[in-house]
């Protein structure tokens, strides 16, 4: 189906009025790095395009009370340059820096990455590990939904045709808390991730794990939390032994999930190493200083 009209609203209010009017006939475009390909392949009938790339309100990164809020229109380049995210949130910066090429990172947005809901979306695991909430707006309401509940299946999210994702928010990280990310890609510059893992960690003063949240990409139909492995670590000291046992549990989980897939053997072997590096980075990012747990 041909594109018949393109709108370029400058404010959220304007965009949601257009969405309300055109409903299923319309499609939001942000960076276009996923959507243009789908339109070209005839997978996305979109006679009306609503280009949200000129809406300044959805490009901000702010600290508000105990929250960090990131606009859906923030590009991966913006993330890599955000001073606010350096240190404890380094996992977000590493995930953004691992996306595509410089040209892709200049255009591609975090909102597009989330709403496209590819199993290989690199920014979804770190946001899942941060237990992020999404802010979604329509003419009727502004609602908040957990990212975990928003992802429904491969390429499917809980978003109506009259809604726009405006921002993502998560709790600020404090002393003893940090986020790590690691990715095993196919090719260096334009890798769509084969496996990526994000680990949020909260350690106590005596170096025990108070809480761990692990999220993987490309190991299921969409980005997933690994709750059985998270439970294992709770209250345990982070030693070579516990990390080895936790990595083994993750291998078992992935193995049972990917049964029958041709990539299962490779992924089952690789997942443990990818996780261990992500966890080591989370430990470093908890402290801001290498080799010091808090
Ligand atoms: C060469 C190449 C390399 C790539 N490498 C990677 C990689 O390494 N890692 C990775 O994760 N991805 C990669 N991608 C995929 C892509 O760049 C990302 O998924 C990107 O984040 C999509 O963002 P976008 O702004 O371009 O989305 P768009 O293409 O504009 O939109 C994608 C989808 O999200 C919807 N959408 C966008 N914004 C909103 C919003 N605010 N509210 C509601 N719906 C919205 C659109 O309607 C559409 O359905 C690559 C793509 C290419 C072409």
């Amino acid at each position: 189906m041909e594109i018949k009209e393109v709108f370029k609203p400058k404010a959220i209010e304007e965009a949601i009025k257009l969405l309300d009017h055109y409903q299923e006939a319309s499609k939001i475009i942000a960076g276009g790095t996923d959507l243009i390909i789908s339109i070209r392949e005839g997978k996305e009938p979109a006679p009306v395009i609503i280009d949200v790339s000129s809406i300044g309100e959805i490009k901000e990164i702010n600290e508000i009370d105990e929250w960090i809020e990131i606009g859906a229109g923030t590009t991966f380049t913006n993330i890599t340059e955000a001073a606010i995210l350096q240190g404890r949130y380094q996992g977000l910066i590493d995930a953004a820096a691992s996306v595509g090429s410089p040209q892709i990172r200049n255009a591609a947005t975090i909102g597009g990455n989330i709403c496209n809901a590819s199993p290989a979306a690199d920014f979804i695991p770190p946001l899942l590990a941060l237990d992020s909430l999404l802010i979604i707006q329509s003419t009727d309401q502004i609602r908040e939904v957990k990212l975990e509940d928003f992802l429904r299946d491969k390429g499917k999210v809980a978003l109506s045709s009259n809604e726009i994702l405006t921002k993502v928010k998560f709790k600020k990280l404090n002393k003893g808390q940090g986020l790590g990310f690691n990715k095993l890609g196919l090719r260096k510059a334009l890798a769509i991730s084969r496996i990526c893992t994000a680990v949020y960690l909260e350690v106590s003063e005596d170096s025990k794990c108070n809480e761990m949240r692990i999220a993987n990409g490309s190991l299921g139909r969409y980005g997933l939390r690994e709750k059985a492995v998270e439970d294992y670590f709770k209250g345990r000291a982070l030693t070579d032994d516990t990390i080895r046992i936790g990595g083994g549990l993750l291998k078992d989980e992935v193995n049972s999930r990917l049964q029958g897939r041709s990539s299962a053997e490779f992924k089952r072997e690789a997942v443990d190493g990818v996780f261990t590096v992500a966890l080591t980075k989370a430990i470093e990012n908890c402290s801001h200083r290498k080799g010091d747990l808090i």
Side-chain angles (χ1 to χ4, degrees):
M1 194 181 288
E2 266 177 51
I3 296 174
K4 299 222 166 84
E5 275 187 283
V6 178
F7 293 95
K8 203 162 183 179
K10 294 224 161 30
I12 296 174
E13 293 300 322
E14 222 183 303
I16 55 179
K17 273 191 197 145
L18 289 163
L19 288 168
D20 209 47
H21 181 71
Y22 289 101
Q23 297 279 339
E24 276 88 15
S26 66
K27 200 77 200 157
I28 291 177
I29 195 165
T33 58
D34 281 320
L35 189 68
I36 294 292
I37 294 173
S38 311
I39 291 175
R40 277 203 198 123
E41 289 173 349
K43 290 183 192 155
E44 202 82 63
V48 178
I49 296 286
I50 301 172
D51 177 351
V52 296
S53 63
S54 296
I55 306 181
E57 300 156 83
I58 62 166
K59 295 183 185 182
E60 292 174 4
I61 306 181
N62 291 312
E63 255 182 282
I64 296 173
D65 303 323
E66 81 264 47
W67 300 94
I68 301 281
E69 298 191 348
I70 308 183
T74 306
T75 65
F76 290 116
T77 300
N78 299 148
I79 297 284
T80 59
E81 291 170 351
I84 222 178
L85 298 177
Q86 275 159 28
R88 301 191 185 283
Y89 312 93
Q90 184 63 35
L92 284 175
I93 294 181
D94 291 348
S98 82
V99 171
S101 59
Q103 291 91 328
I104 293 289
R105 291 194 290 278
N106 284 340
T109 64
I110 68 159
N113 202 248
I114 296 167
C115 294
N116 194 54
S118 157
D122 283 315
F123 214 61
I124 288 180
L127 290 177
L128 280 173
L130 287 168
D131 212 10
S132 300
L133 293 168
L134 306 183
I135 317 298
I136 291 168
Q137 198 165 332
S138 64
T139 45
D140 311 329
Q141 61 167 349
I142 296 177
R143 67 181 175 101
E144 274 190 15
V145 60
K146 279 181 87 158
L147 171 59
E148 204 183 343
D149 299 329
F150 183 71
L151 301 168
R152 290 283 167 84
D153 200 350
K154 183 177 175 178
K156 298 256 178 306
V157 293
L159 189 77
S160 302
S161 55
N162 66 341
E163 290 183 316
I164 178 172
L165 169 65
T166 58
K167 55 190 166 189
V168 181
K169 70 176 195 180
F170 47 81
K171 286 262 171 72
K172 272 197 239 169
L173 303 187
N174 296 306
K175 191 169 180 251
Q177 300 173 323
L179 179 75
F181 173 86
N182 186 29
K183 166 169 161 180
L184 185 67
L186 272 184
R187 281 170 291 144
K188 203 134 180 87
L190 291 173
I192 301 281
S193 95
R194 270 309 266 282
I195 301 180
C196 72
T197 301
V199 177
Y200 159 82
L201 180 66
E202 185 190 319
V203 281
S204 61
E205 302 252 337
D206 58 353
S207 301
K208 285 207 174 110
C209 167
N210 281 344
E211 192 169 357
M212 191 186 292
R213 292 193 291 263
I214 307 164
N216 279 320
S218 299
L219 291 174
R221 291 187 58 81
Y222 50 95
L224 287 172
R225 288 268 300 273
E226 305 288 353
K227 293 192 178 168
V229 188
E230 294 174 3
D231 288 346
Y232 165 76
F233 278 105
K234 206 170 168 99
R236 291 183 198 269
L238 292 167
T239 63
D240 288 349
D241 273 351
T242 57
I243 294 174
R244 187 179 41 75
I245 293 168
L249 285 174
L250 187 58
K251 261 184 165 178
D252 294 344
E253 283 286 316
V254 168
N255 194 34
S256 60
R257 198 182 302 147
L258 298 182
Q259 289 281 341
R261 295 227 207 139
S262 57
S263 60
E265 183 64 19
F266 154 74
K267 288 189 173 176
R268 196 179 77 93
E269 287 312 314
V271 68
D272 182 12
V274 178
F275 163 70
T276 305
V277 173
L279 174 55
T280 307
K281 289 186 180 177
I283 293 170
E284 285 173 12
N285 297 337
C286 276
S287 65
H288 278 253
R289 286 172 300 170
K290 295 192 177 179
D292 178 352
L293 263 191
I294 52 168

